[in-house]
Amino acid sequence: MFAGTLTKNAETAATAYSGMIHSTRFDIAIQLETRTKMSERSPDYDVTAVNKSGRKVRIGTAWNETGSTTGNPYISMQIDVGLGPFRVNAVQTKEARESMTGAFEIIPLVSNGTMKSGSISGELTAMDADNAFAGYIANMMFDLDFMLIENEFKTEETHPDYRIEVSSPRGHPIRVGSAWMAKSNRTGNDYVSLLINTPDGDLRVNAVQNEEQRGGQTFSIIPFVEGAGQERSDNTGLALVG
């Protein structure tokens, strides 16, 4: 559950990139400093930050990479701020690449595992404006308030209809997943399929309406159970970035 920005500095600058990284627990200013490569796979950069005492410390490493399917360059980072190591990628939007602004968006590395939803409580409410939803999801290990923001970049049927965002301590939006509008093959009722990235893996849940809620603005969040009558739309994918 990380987000942030990264900007390429002028060639004459002491650091190659400067930016911010956010989570629900911290907001940290980071810099990428070029380092001498010892081998082809050794890091291209040291990731540094300033601690509470004002001392610059190394918090990770980063590599220049190229997308295997798109051919677009991106930066892969492994960072540890005292909570255990995590991985993020810094990628460019199509507009940033075309305008050559040197601006990157930091996104979490999509995990390979799907955590079991188990006992989950939550609610989703349609907002009166902006085609958005507000909600929460909680269990004994976490409690998240989030927003569903319409995906204005949707161009394919399989792309998410919404991005799921939470806020960092300073109020910066952090994308933690995606959501799709779907329709039950069995009942014909509309529901929302959500994929949320957590430190323990990707969490899949559905937001459905019971008989009392149907026709209103409120949905109840329930665990996703494969093959247990909670049908997914054929258009519901699992990509966090669409």
Side-chain angles (χ1 to χ4, degrees):
M1 295 158 50
F2 304 97
T5 56
L6 197 66
T7 303
K8 184 175 178 61
N9 295 328
E11 296 292 338
T12 56
T15 58
Y17 294 86
S18 299
M20 292 287 300
I21 189 165
H22 315 286
S23 81
T24 55
R25 301 178 66 178
F26 60 76
D27 298 273
I28 297 176
I30 61 172
Q31 293 184 327
L32 270 59
E33 302 180 9
T34 304
R35 58 179 282 173
T36 302
K37 289 178 71 70
M38 305 303 294
S39 67
E40 182 180 356
R41 287 307 303 159
S42 63
D44 295 289
Y45 308 98
D46 283 325
V47 183
T48 64
V50 176
N51 68 13
K52 293 181 179 179
S53 300
R55 188 188 305 275
K56 184 174 76 172
V57 294
R58 177 176 172 270
I59 62 170
T61 50
W63 293 260
N64 290 316
E65 302 283 4
T66 302
S68 57
T69 56
T70 65
N72 296 325
Y74 68 96
I75 299 172
S76 173
M77 292 185 279
Q78 179 165 304
I79 298 174
D80 190 343
V81 296
L83 304 173
F86 59 89
R87 297 282 302 278
V88 294
N89 289 339
V91 302
Q92 287 191 300
T93 64
K94 179 181 178 181
E95 291 75 15
R97 290 195 303 271
E98 292 176 346
S99 60
M100 294 184 291
T101 61
F104 291 74
E105 177 185 0
I106 293 175
I107 60 174
L109 187 67
V110 178
S111 69
N112 293 323
T114 300
M115 68 178 288
K116 294 186 181 299
S117 50
S119 298
I120 290 289
S121 295
E123 197 169 80
L124 193 64
T125 302
M127 309 296 288
D128 292 330
D130 300 327
N131 196 24
F133 291 82
Y136 78 90
I137 185 169
N139 67 7
M140 290 299 293
M141 302 301 295
F142 63 83
D143 193 319
L144 293 176
D145 292 304
F146 63 87
M147 294 285 296
L148 264 57
I149 310 297
E150 188 173 14
N151 178 17
E152 64 271 27
F153 300 110
K154 182 181 174 83
T155 57
E156 301 289 341
E157 195 66 26
T158 55
H159 287 174
D161 295 295
Y162 297 92
R163 63 183 185 272
I164 303 173
E165 291 186 354
V166 299
S167 293
S168 75
R170 294 185 182 177
H172 293 281
I174 304 166
R175 182 173 181 177
V176 298
S178 301
W180 294 259
M181 297 301 300
K183 186 180 292 290
S184 169
N185 295 328
R186 179 170 57 85
T187 66
N189 295 327
D190 294 327
Y191 68 97
V192 187
S193 175
L194 298 90
L195 175 67
I196 303 175
N197 180 255
T198 79
D200 296 320
D202 294 339
L203 175 63
R204 291 172 61 191
V205 294
N206 287 339
V208 303
Q209 290 186 311
N210 57 35
E211 291 298 329
E212 290 76 20
Q213 294 169 325
R214 194 152 296 130
Q217 294 181 293
T218 302
F219 294 72
S220 296
I221 291 177
I222 62 175
F224 176 89
V225 180
E226 191 78 55
Q230 297 177 28
E231 301 90 347
R232 290 175 55 212
S233 165
D234 291 338
N235 298 329
T236 303
L238 285 181
L240 282 181
V241 180

